[in-house]
Amino acid sequence: MEQNALPAQDERPTVAELEDRAFELRTKLLQLCGTYEGAVHIGGDLSAADIFTALFHYGLHVDPTDIRNPERDRFLLSKGHAAVCMYIAMAMRGFFSYEGIVETYGQLDSAYGMHPCKVQLPGVEASTGSLGHGLPIAVGMALSARHRGETHRVVCLLGDGETGEGSVWEAAMAANSNRLGNLVAFIDRNRQLMTSFAEERISFEPYPDKWRAFGWNVVEINGHDMGELVGAIDALPGADSDKPTVVICETVKGKGVDFMEHNLAWHAGSLSPKDLERALASLEANREKEMA
Ligand SMILES: Cc1ncc(C[n+]2csc(CCOP(=O)(O)OP(=O)(O)O)c2C)c(N)n1
């Protein structure tokens, strides 16, 4: 990923360091889930945790001490229900404090709502949560950057289920028509929706071919392999290129916690103290297995 004139990211972490951060992110997420009384969208948070880590700790050219810098990359969370995972990834990058999130998450008037609100939380680029809106907004932002001669990227994370929304494909067409090489979409391809598995409800396949047919560069990776995430980010075409890129990240909903993985019951939920203990133990055991 090319850098624009913003100061270089402090020191870019290694893949191993990013893996550690993703583990910390998942741990903090589960802990928050254990203290918050309401439901958290835990399944789609865990599937996206590695993507958030790779973006906020490696790929995105952003500066937590200068959040309005006009040269920053713009990140939009189109699957807005995964906001809490984004907040924690941002907190770990220095945007705000984790404790602050835990204190007020989900409360009326909190800056940290279940869905992100750009008015309430500086650093959030777009208010999202109604699925299908992030990519259209990202297209407008990328087009506007082009007209102004700006060189940053606009990066948007979508759920695969979300791409059942027609507005996503209108945006995909508009991005191609306007040759928006400064636009990058990451798809969290966890193959689950809210209450069902994706292909049971809607035929997504041949999914990468659909994006190709809409004129996009298509990159397919394992969205839990930090090396592949970093490789995909490093290989992105320059923001001055003329084709938008989609990185389809094959993921597992509930990733890292055995009893949540591929389990429709964990699209959203809350954790009893006992559940939290089990979840943290499973996360730890899986991490040890991966490192062995
Ligand atoms: C327009 C709209 N319809 C329905 C919902 C309710 N909803 C929230 S999450 C979700 C499932 C989305 O699936 P996906 O995009 O694959 O997200 P993930 O599985 O990664 O959580 C739905 C239907 C919504 N937020 N917006």
Side-chain angles (χ1 to χ4, degrees):
M1 194 183 254
E2 269 177 13
Q3 299 289 296
N4 56 25
L6 269 179
Q9 284 191 13
D10 343 66
E11 289 213 341
R12 280 182 140 198
T14 62
V15 167
E17 286 166 343
L18 289 166
E19 287 168 349
D20 286 346
R21 289 187 199 183
F23 176 73
E24 185 184 337
L25 171 56
R26 285 191 168 88
T27 304
K28 287 189 150 106
L29 177 69
L30 292 173
Q31 283 165 340
L32 178 142
C33 198
T35 55
Y36 179 59
E37 283 182 3
V40 174
H41 287 95
I42 189 78
D45 286 329
L46 288 169
S47 65
D50 299 300
I51 305 171
F52 280 125
T53 304
L55 287 174
F56 277 100
H57 292 253
Y58 184 87
L60 287 175
H61 202 207
V62 289
D63 181 350
T65 65
D66 187 10
I67 58 173
R68 300 247 181 258
N69 191 313
E71 295 179 353
R72 72 193 184 280
D73 288 337
R74 298 340 187 238
F75 175 77
L76 293 89
L77 179 60
S78 200
K79 50 170 276 183
H81 55 285
V84 68
C85 196
M86 177 182 76
Y87 301 150
I88 299 172
M90 291 175 79
M92 288 171 58
R93 179 77 170 78
F95 280 84
F96 22 73
S97 86
Y98 171 69
E99 291 70 27
I101 302 170
V102 175
E103 249 167 54
T104 68
Y105 176 71
Q107 292 172 23
L108 198 62
D109 289 334
S110 167
Y112 307 105
M114 181 182 280
H115 298 104
C117 175
K118 71 174 198 170
V119 178
Q120 295 272 32
L121 187 60
V124 165
E125 302 284 358
S127 303
T128 50
S130 184
L131 297 170
H133 292 176
L135 193 64
I137 298 169
V139 166
M141 289 166 90
L143 191 54
S144 152
R146 274 285 159 85
H147 283 309
R148 294 167 190 231
E150 295 170 351
T151 57
H152 61 265
R153 281 201 173 83
V154 181
V155 178
C156 181
L157 174 61
L158 300 97
D160 56 349
E162 178 185 5
T163 64
E165 299 279 356
S167 53
V168 171
W169 299 101
E170 293 174 40
M173 254 193 297
N176 175 43
S177 309
N178 289 285
R179 305 172 144 288
L180 298 179
N182 55 348
L183 177 67
V184 182
F186 281 76
I187 310 279
D188 182 358
R189 181 81 169 111
N190 60 32
R191 296 171 188 262
Q192 283 182 228
L193 312 177
M194 190 158 73
T195 54
S196 60
F197 291 95
E199 296 294 325
E200 287 171 3
R201 286 283 172 274
I202 188 160
S203 295
F204 288 89
E205 294 295 347
Y207 195 63
D209 288 343
K210 285 181 178 158
W211 285 96
R212 272 185 210 105
F214 276 70
W216 285 54
N217 283 322
V218 177
V219 180
E220 295 174 69
I221 62 168
N222 174 346
H224 300 308
D225 184 318
M226 201 53 81
E228 289 192 26
L229 280 160
V230 162
I233 289 167
D234 285 345
L236 285 174
D240 58 353
S241 62
D242 62 2
K243 236 182 174 193
T245 296
V246 59
V247 183
I248 301 174
C249 303
E250 197 67 43
T251 57
V252 172
K253 204 154 170 173
K255 174 70 179 175
V257 179
D258 288 345
F259 65 89
M260 292 182 184
E261 290 189 2
H262 306 289
N263 184 343
L264 293 176
W266 286 98
H267 170 72
S270 54
L271 289 174
S272 66
K274 212 170 168 196
D275 285 339
L276 175 62
E277 207 178 299
R278 271 174 70 214
L280 289 172
S282 175
L283 191 65
E284 182 84 45
N286 282 323
R287 175 85 177 120
E288 274 167 24
K289 247 188 262 164
E290 274 165 21
M291 290 174 73

